[in-house]
Amino acid sequence: DTEVTQTPKHLVMGMTNKKSLKCEQHMGHRAMYWYKQKAKKPPELMFVYSYEKLSINESVPSRFSPECPNSSLLNLHLHALQPEDSALYLCASSLGPINSPLHFGNGTRLTVT
Amino acid sequence: GQQVMQIPQYQHVQEGEDFTTYCNSSTTLSNIQWYKQRPGGHPVFLIQLVKSGEVKKQKRLTFQFGEAKKNSSLHITATQTTDVGTYFCAVGGGTSYGKLTFGQGTILTVHP
């Protein structure tokens, strides 16, 4: 079991759809992350929020739009995705942004058709 | 950002055999973290190493950080089927706070 909750667990969307992934933690962590993971590959960092401000954007295409409404919530808004965006999207949190272990959610398995 | 090479990519062992995965960097690391991801699961934090030459143990798992802080290893003694999964090392991004970069991972298969 994980203390980082992600919804939905699975998502299938067409290339013209708009959808959102949600992530929630109640551990008082002040850094939250989005990672993308393809099969048999390591997680790749997409975004980092530190104290509710976007601190890192790893040159992610604008069809992915992150949002941090408060210190416990993290969203990833999806629009006009491509089939190659199909992957496991992992949310993580850590106590702070520096050298703190990451706590991952179970992930959202996204399929773009 | 900092990068790390992890080997081997795959390791198949018989239950009871030992297993080791290695991570190597060309630059000095401030710290290194290790994660385990079970098939179909998410990465789970195992340990963080900070000090030069540090050795930490968790039951059958032994973690080492090199004297020069450029390499690290994870050793499992007498593997069990529950050890199956992918083991990742991960390193921080120096001045890029929050940028944790994962090694390629070692996929461990344990045959009963």
Side-chain angles (χ1 to χ4, degrees):
Chain A
D1 287 344
T2 176
E3 296 176 77
V4 178
T5 304
Q6 286 188 246
T7 56
K9 290 185 179 180
H10 301 275
L11 178 62
V12 178
M13 60 185 291
M15 290 188 284
T16 59
N17 291 158
K18 287 185 179 181
K19 296 286 184 182
S20 296
L21 308 185
K22 297 186 182 299
C23 176
E24 188 170 2
Q25 59 88 14
H26 295 288
M27 295 180 283
H29 288 178
R30 303 312 302 268
M32 296 187 76
Y33 311 76
W34 283 114
Y35 279 84
K36 173 183 177 180
Q37 187 177 29
K38 291 274 198 178
K40 299 190 186 301
K41 296 293 185 182
E44 293 180 15
L45 182 63
M46 299 175 71
F47 302 103
V48 180
Y49 273 84
S50 177
Y51 296 89
E52 301 166 46
K53 294 189 185 302
L54 183 64
S55 59
I56 295 177
N57 175 344
E58 288 289 277
S59 302
V60 179
S62 59
R63 58 185 184 269
F64 295 90
S65 176
E67 178 194 20
C68 188
N70 60 55
S71 60
S72 300
L73 295 174
L74 187 66
N75 299 321
L76 185 62
H77 302 297
L78 314 173
H79 173 55
L81 294 193
Q82 304 297 310
E84 58 265 29
D85 296 322
S86 298
L88 179 67
Y89 287 84
L90 293 161
C91 173
S93 69
S94 65
L95 192 61
I98 305 174
N99 298 332
S100 295
L102 300 186
H103 297 250
F104 283 89
N106 288 325
T108 294
R109 178 74 60 186
L110 174 68
T111 302
V112 182
T113 60
Chain B
Q2 292 190 309
Q3 293 188 338
V4 62
M5 294 294 295
Q6 187 172 357
I7 57 170
Q9 187 175 358
Y10 299 94
Q11 187 75 56
H12 304 273
V13 300
Q14 288 294 131
E15 190 171 19
E17 292 181 338
D18 291 356
F19 159 76
T20 305
T21 175
Y22 302 89
C23 282
N24 298 292
S25 171
S26 59
T27 60
T28 302
L29 303 169
S30 59
N31 66 86
I32 191 164
Q33 299 178 13
W34 285 93
Y35 292 78
K36 175 184 178 181
Q37 185 172 20
R38 294 181 185 273
H42 58 278
V44 174
F45 172 75
L46 295 177
I47 210 157
Q48 178 168 274
L49 305 173
V50 179
K51 299 178 182 177
S52 168
E54 190 169 18
V55 178
K56 288 188 175 180
K57 293 190 175 185
Q58 291 179 351
K59 297 182 180 179
R60 295 179 294 104
L61 277 61
T62 302
F63 304 84
Q64 293 189 339
F65 204 9
E67 293 290 340
K69 298 181 73 173
K70 290 185 176 182
N71 56 75
S72 180
S73 65
L74 159 58
H75 179 82
I76 302 179
T77 303
T79 55
Q80 300 175 359
T81 54
T82 53
D83 296 324
V84 164
T86 304
Y87 292 84
F88 294 102
C89 61
V91 298
T95 56
S96 296
Y97 298 144
K99 184 170 180 175
L100 194 67
T101 301
F102 285 76
Q104 289 300 302
T106 296
I107 300 173
L108 173 64
T109 305
V110 180
H111 300 284

